Amino acid sequence: MDLKELYNEYKELSIKGRYLTLDELTPLLNTLSAVSDLFIIGKSVLGEPIYKIQIGTGQTKIFLWSQMHGNESTTTKGLFDFFNLLKSGSSFAKKLLDTFTFCALPMLNPDGARLYTRENANKIDLNRDSQDLTQPESQLLRKTFELFQPDYCFNLHDQRTIFGVDMTGEPATMSFLAPSYNEEREINASRLKAIELIAGINATLQQFIPGKVGRFDDSFNINCIGDTFQYLGVPTILFEAGHYPGDYEREVTREFVFYALVTSFKLLSENDVVLNGIEDYLNIPQNKQSFYDFKYKNIKINYDGIEKITNFAAQYKEEIIDGKIVFNAYIIEIGDLENRFGHLEYDAQGASYRDEEGGIPQLNKKANFCLENNIEFVNGLIKK
């Protein structure tokens, strides 16, 4: 199976970038209604509809949800690319639809999506509300889970650019987790199924993004939805779509989300999961905070008349301006910056720093500055 060929054929061209709201999804949902069951199962805090898609007639039931955190849209894009495959009428699509029944909530948090925030409109993190169920979105997710009674759950998320694959210097473009079901992080039959499936996904992704797949932390938190569903005995797989070099719009990463979804269901449909894959799973390096967006090294600064060489880092903030996401770089740390890499690194080789306010970088200021060799940086990047 040529995954890249499949992706190029079924990529949904009408959605792209990081800012994805229900406005962009509604036409796609209406199109899907011709080949699937489409329901409005309830409303968000601000009254936006929350949709459920159900497609397929197979015995194995797959439950997927995306944009539980409103500003995490990459897996939503990958999910709609996968829906295009399912409705294609191809022999592979027919096999999947005969094997599985898919139930998906493609945008669980439409208010957070519109506001471009992790939380819902009540400023609650839905992924910490799986026990108290204080929010309508959390209640709808849990009710759908109980009615559908899935055999597998797919918890689809994004993660920030700060995460890398252990301390290898590679970004964590995709990370996965088979959540724990207890404090001891033991492996029972249910969790083992998730582990074995992730081992198979990783084997495939290593062919495309070698060294860029991480394993998310498995500390147990019953308030997290994945841990809750694993605790309830349903194999649950966490997807974390992360950074690929230069891909701040996550249009490259969405391709690997698609690969991971297709691989998951191909392996399950062919009963070709990695048996006893615990070692393969544990050999996936840990997902760690090891990156800045920008790292500037060997900068000469004048601090109260004393010259010294230092380093500093800048990080993008994603800000909505005129309905679009704008990436603005701010200085966030000054010092040795040990054990952190930069997605972009610049060695000033002792050149002196200056900006409009003086001779030293200031925390929380825009990364606009010059070096004495007449190199100007605007919003973190060398001005062209």
Side-chain angles (χ1 to χ4, degrees):
M1 176 181 292
D2 189 327
L3 287 170
K4 188 165 190 64
E5 183 177 308
L6 277 181
Y7 175 73
N8 289 337
E9 184 173 359
Y10 297 118
K11 179 181 178 180
E12 178 49 60
L13 298 177
S14 71
I15 52 176
K16 62 182 180 179
R18 298 291 292 278
Y19 190 44
L20 188 62
T21 71
L22 202 55
D23 295 343
E24 290 78 42
L25 294 193
T26 300
L28 300 177
L29 291 166
N30 290 335
T31 300
L32 275 170
S33 67
V35 294
S36 66
D37 294 321
L38 180 66
F39 306 93
I40 294 175
I41 58 172
K43 293 188 176 181
S44 67
V45 171
L46 297 181
E48 296 244 33
I50 295 175
Y51 288 92
K52 179 181 79 171
I53 297 166
Q54 191 159 313
I55 185 171
T57 57
Q59 184 175 355
T60 303
K61 293 188 286 187
I62 307 293
F63 185 34
L64 314 95
W65 61 97
S66 187
Q67 271 179 283
M68 168 176 265
H69 296 140
N71 59 354
E72 298 180 2
S73 60
T74 308
T75 51
T76 306
K77 294 185 292 188
L79 190 56
F80 276 88
D81 300 333
F82 180 67
F83 288 154
N84 281 347
L85 186 158
L86 288 181
K87 69 179 186 179
S88 68
S90 69
S91 58
F92 180 53
K94 290 177 181 177
K95 179 179 180 181
L96 293 182
L97 295 174
D98 287 342
T99 304
F100 303 106
T101 298
F102 297 97
C103 175
L105 308 182
M107 185 176 280
L108 181 64
N109 182 6
D111 297 343
R114 196 170 297 282
L115 298 168
Y116 200 71
T117 180
R118 176 183 174 91
E119 300 165 332
N120 75 345
N122 286 334
K123 299 189 180 302
I124 299 296
D125 185 339
L126 300 178
N127 203 27
R128 299 297 183 270
D129 191 40
S130 71
Q131 293 301 299
D132 294 337
L133 298 175
T134 63
Q135 302 304 300
E137 300 93 345
S138 306
Q139 295 162 13
L140 289 168
L141 177 66
R142 184 60 174 269
K143 182 179 179 181
T144 304
F145 169 85
E146 291 174 347
L147 290 173
F148 187 59
Q149 297 185 340
D151 297 296
Y152 285 87
C153 288
F154 285 73
N155 186 11
L156 306 177
H157 288 263
D158 278 46
Q159 64 179 356
R160 296 169 60 197
T161 59
I162 61 176
F163 290 100
V165 178
D166 208 329
M167 297 306 298
T168 64
E170 294 282 4
T173 301
M174 290 293 296
S175 295
F176 300 92
L177 174 67
S180 297
Y181 74 95
N182 63 6
E183 293 282 356
E184 293 73 27
R185 297 187 273 190
E186 295 173 319
I187 297 174
N188 59 4
S190 173
R191 191 180 182 206
L192 181 60
K193 288 182 178 180
I195 284 171
E196 291 174 337
L197 187 54
I198 291 170
I201 296 169
N202 178 58
T204 294
L205 289 182
Q206 290 299 330
Q207 301 172 43
F208 301 96
I209 44 172
K212 293 182 174 64
V213 179
R215 176 169 51 89
F216 213 72
D217 175 64
D218 67 349
S219 299
F220 179 68
N221 184 349
I222 194 63
N223 296 306
C224 295
I225 194 65
D227 301 50
T228 293
F229 288 169
Q230 198 85 275
Y231 170 80
L232 293 172
V234 179
T236 300
I237 297 94
L238 170 70
F239 280 41
E240 291 280 355
H243 186 67
Y244 184 87
D247 180 36
Y248 281 92
E249 296 293 341
R250 300 275 169 95
E251 286 298 304
V252 178
T253 300
R254 84 185 269 183
E255 182 170 344
F256 304 120
V257 172
F258 176 84
Y259 289 5
L261 289 170
V262 172
T263 298
S264 298
F265 306 126
K266 181 177 184 293
L267 292 174
L268 289 173
S269 67
E270 295 174 354
N271 196 25
D272 192 26
V273 294
V274 180
L275 296 178
N276 300 313
I278 297 174
E279 184 176 355
D280 290 345
Y281 174 75
L282 294 177
N283 282 337
I284 301 172
Q286 283 267 299
N287 182 89
K288 289 188 177 179
Q289 293 188 26
S290 58
F291 271 92
Y292 303 107
D293 287 321
F294 301 96
K295 183 176 179 180
Y296 307 99
K297 301 183 292 185
N298 300 311
I299 307 284
K300 183 188 292 184
I301 64 172
N302 189 315
Y303 188 74
D304 289 340
I306 300 173
E307 289 187 339
K308 61 181 291 188
I309 301 294
T310 191
N311 312 298
F312 67 94
Q315 197 72 24
Y316 278 132
K317 288 185 180 179
E318 298 158 28
E319 300 174 328
I320 298 180
I321 299 176
D322 296 329
K324 295 182 179 180
I325 300 301
V326 176
F327 294 86
N328 285 320
Y330 294 87
I331 296 170
I332 61 162
E333 192 164 343
I334 304 166
D336 290 337
L337 308 186
E338 293 182 356
N339 300 320
R340 285 287 186 101
F341 304 95
H343 291 300
L344 184 150
E345 296 193 0
Y346 183 84
D347 190 341
Q349 300 180 338
S352 294
Y353 173 99
R354 60 183 171 83
D355 60 29
E356 292 181 349
E357 298 182 11
I360 61 172
Q362 301 285 335
L363 294 178
N364 301 317
K365 297 291 186 181
K366 284 286 294 288
N368 298 331
F369 60 94
C370 295
L371 299 177
E372 64 181 346
N373 49 11
N374 295 319
I375 295 178
E376 183 179 0
F377 290 79
V378 176
N379 200 30
L381 297 168
I382 295 176
K383 184 178 180 180
K384 295 182 179 179

